[in-house]
Amino acid sequence: MIDTVQDGTERRLRWSAACLLIGLGIQFVSLLINHPLAFLAFILIGSPLVLAGAGLYLWSIVIHSER
Amino acid sequence: MVPVFVAITIALVFVFFLFPGVTRQRGGKILAFFPLFILPVAAAGLGGWYHLEQSKRLEFCLSCHVMRDHGRSLYIDNPAFLPAAHFQNHRVPAEEACYTCHTDYTMYGDINAKVRGLRHVYVYYLGNLPRPADIKLYRSYNNRECLHCHEGARSFEEGQIHNADPAIMAAIKANETSCISSGCHDQVHTVGKLNELKFWTPGKK
């Protein structure tokens, strides 16, 4: 049972890390380009993915502690 | 510096992506809070600030080809042309010349400027793009933007024409007499007539 819980938490953590990696990756590339579209990519794609990843991480530790 | 911070954050997040089992231990859980929450949120905040600062730069504004003529007008070799005189004599920071004159010096001026910028991007890619000569301000240029720097300056406060009648100075400061469109400093970008003008080349005497 403990292993299942751990697996679930780790799976969510991995998803969280994946969202963060994609979001931060987009942000990183956008920071290297001084163009309005880079700014939009940062705001509309990178930042929501980073916030989703951070939110998923928080959710995963809250779910884990409830169990 | 900010891109480096984001790159380091990516590297740390990658460790937790590869080895999520690190969080099985209590120490690992505490450690994960930094790369999976604190650092990404800080990176997003810092990145947003960095982008806002970069978006003030001349090359950012001129990266849309429709603005190229406006950029070219900064090199008109005639001091009567207001943007050119300000740019060439560094009365405004040369690398942030567009932003310095075209932001609102109000509490939310920066944010308003960025919202207008988003509208410009929409029009640029999805709307009907006007010819450079047809680009106009949304509303007449507010003297507040000029007075942000000129108010209190000797050349402005003691200027002969500004003081020819006591009512003039009051009208300028109240934005009732426009600095630009009242016939006094009305030579601005003039992008429709650039072919008729001489241009200054930096470094060439």
Side-chain angles (χ1 to χ4, degrees), chain B residues 35-53:
Chain B
L36 295 183
F37 187 77
I38 299 282
L39 292 181
V41 170
L46 281 172
W49 165 80
Y50 184 80
H51 260 301
L52 282 177
E53 288 302 309

Side-chain angles (χ1 to χ4, degrees), chain B residues 100-113:
Chain B
T100 305
C101 294
H102 290 283
T103 188
D104 296 345
Y105 288 99
T106 58
M107 183 182 271
Y108 300 110
D110 283 6
I111 294 168
N112 289 337

